[in-house]
Amino acid sequence: MKKVLIAALWLGAGVAQAAQIAMQDQSQLKVPGSQATPVFVPPAESELPDNAFGQMVRQGHALFVDTRRLMPEAVGNGMNCSNCHLDQGRMAHSAPLWGAYPMYPAYRKKNDKVNTYAERIQGCFQFSMNGKPPAADSPQMTALSVYAYWLATGTRTGVETPGRGYPEVPQPKDGYDFKRGEQVYNEQCAICHGGKGEGQKVAGEYVMPPLWGRDAYNWGAGMHRINTAASFIKHNMPLGKPGSLSDQQAWDVAAWINRHERPQDPRLVEGSIEKTRVKFHANDGVNLYGQKVEGVLIGQGTGG
């Protein structure tokens, strides 16, 4: 974390039929197997053709790595797409685009519907970016989708490629500890993300993303789950030293980060944290939304 912190239900009578079909739930992905370098290697930029397609891929790449500056109308915090999908969406075990694109359309438990790839990106804008999702047929969405399509060149549709997602890190038998997590954060993360999770800016632009506060991902983002954040941290942080933290350290620091306030879940039900917790968070991995920690209710939002 020294550089950046920081991934099929049918209608009517079809529901019963869907229950008998193994449908991949994209909202809490589990990636089996080892973490050896995957066989698949996405294409290099030098392979891009000098035509309209190549230009569109380059546009998508620019939006992906500089999202906040190029799409201010859609991004409501200090994040770029590349903050969660490292190495410009190429890195294995960091939810690479080449692992995601070929698996859509797919059912997601998060919104209880079959999502297109465009809808999946829209969810990222709504939650991880705390913003306003661009229209599915907008030029920006088209460019982002084309970039992901190009990175997936050579993969097989509907077949999970090794290296996809954030590999699961089982919860330690003793759970997590905030105090230990704070120590890990101060020693491994604060140098880049700030002592108060505020991130780092250069010339007014974030170069290291905030992890909590008004410019971080909101309470609806997948990263608010302690188990998801622990998996990302374990396999990607500190930057350049993936796997250097133990499972326990990853869970502890993920819990410490996610006990802090951030923008409210945009799905807030009738202004009620408890109703929102029951509907969206009670069965959504390990999270603190709507719980009290040291007498303070978590999930009130930053108001920003």
Side-chain angles (χ1 to χ4, degrees):
M1 288 170 116
K2 286 191 175 181
K3 292 293 181 184
V4 66
L5 165 34
I6 107 173
L9 291 181
W10 307 105
L11 297 176
V15 172
Q17 178 184 4
Q20 302 174 14
I21 303 175
M23 300 298 287
Q24 176 65 54
D25 177 5
Q26 307 292 323
S27 63
Q28 297 191 59
L29 182 66
K30 296 181 180 180
V31 179
S34 70
Q35 293 183 58
T37 303
V39 174
F40 179 76
V41 177
E45 185 177 355
S46 60
E47 300 175 40
L48 272 175
D50 186 17
N51 56 19
F53 176 77
Q55 182 179 4
M56 182 68 72
V57 171
R58 290 186 175 91
Q59 290 174 0
H61 170 264
L63 293 171
F64 191 83
V65 300
D66 201 9
T67 325
R68 183 174 183 266
R69 189 176 66 85
L70 296 179
M71 299 179 66
E73 73 286 353
V75 178
N77 58 16
M79 308 292 284
N80 294 310
C81 299
S82 53
N83 290 142
C84 292
H85 311 272
L86 302 185
D87 191 20
Q88 307 162 72
R90 294 172 168 272
M91 185 177 292
H93 307 300
S94 184
L97 300 188
W98 47 259
Y101 186 88
M103 300 301 291
Y104 283 86
Y107 170 75
R108 298 189 72 221
K109 185 172 69 174
K110 185 166 188 169
N111 55 16
D112 194 22
K113 60 179 284 190
V114 174
N115 289 219
T116 64
Y117 187 71
E119 288 175 314
R120 180 65 183 89
I121 298 176
Q122 287 176 322
C124 287
F125 277 99
Q126 183 179 14
F127 301 110
S128 296
M129 317 290 270
N130 191 40
K132 181 180 179 180
D137 61 351
S138 66
Q140 297 94 332
M141 186 68 75
T142 298
L144 287 167
S145 297
V146 170
Y147 177 56
Y149 167 84
W150 174 70
L151 284 179
T153 301
T155 58
R156 292 181 294 172
T157 301
V159 177
E160 191 164 312
T161 305
R164 175 180 178 232
Y166 306 138
E168 181 185 25
V169 176
Q171 183 172 0
K173 61 181 180 64
D174 294 327
Y176 53 80
D177 182 89
F178 295 127
K179 191 172 185 63
R180 290 195 307 258
E182 181 181 16
Q183 181 178 352
V184 174
Y185 183 86
N186 289 335
E187 293 175 353
Q188 300 285 344
C189 316
I191 189 172
C192 287
H193 298 287
K196 297 181 179 180
E198 71 275 19
Q200 282 194 50
K201 287 184 176 181
V202 172
E205 293 293 332
Y206 281 105
V207 292
M208 300 297 170
L211 304 185
W212 62 83
R214 63 181 301 161
D215 276 346
Y217 51 87
N218 67 38
W219 280 116
M223 203 65 77
H224 96 285
R225 296 190 295 259
I226 294 173
N227 55 298
T228 299
S231 296
F232 175 84
I233 291 166
K234 170 72 176 182
H235 297 289
N236 295 282
M237 297 291 139
L239 193 68
K241 297 195 301 180
S244 61
L245 298 180
S246 68
D247 291 0
Q248 184 70 68
Q249 288 175 312
W251 270 82
D252 289 344
V253 75
W256 170 250
I257 290 168
N258 282 324
R259 67 157 291 175
H260 291 86
E261 279 299 343
R262 54 195 66 261
Q264 182 56 266
D265 189 331
R267 304 167 297 180
L268 187 67
V269 179
E270 300 175 1
S272 169
I273 293 173
E274 176 58 17
K275 289 182 179 180
T276 306
R277 183 194 69 80
V278 170
K279 184 170 184 178
F280 296 114
H281 298 269
N283 298 304
D284 187 24
V286 181
N287 70 85
L288 298 171
Y289 186 90
Q291 301 183 37
K292 283 191 175 182
V293 176
E294 297 178 355
V296 177
L297 179 65
I298 303 296
Q300 299 180 67
T302 57

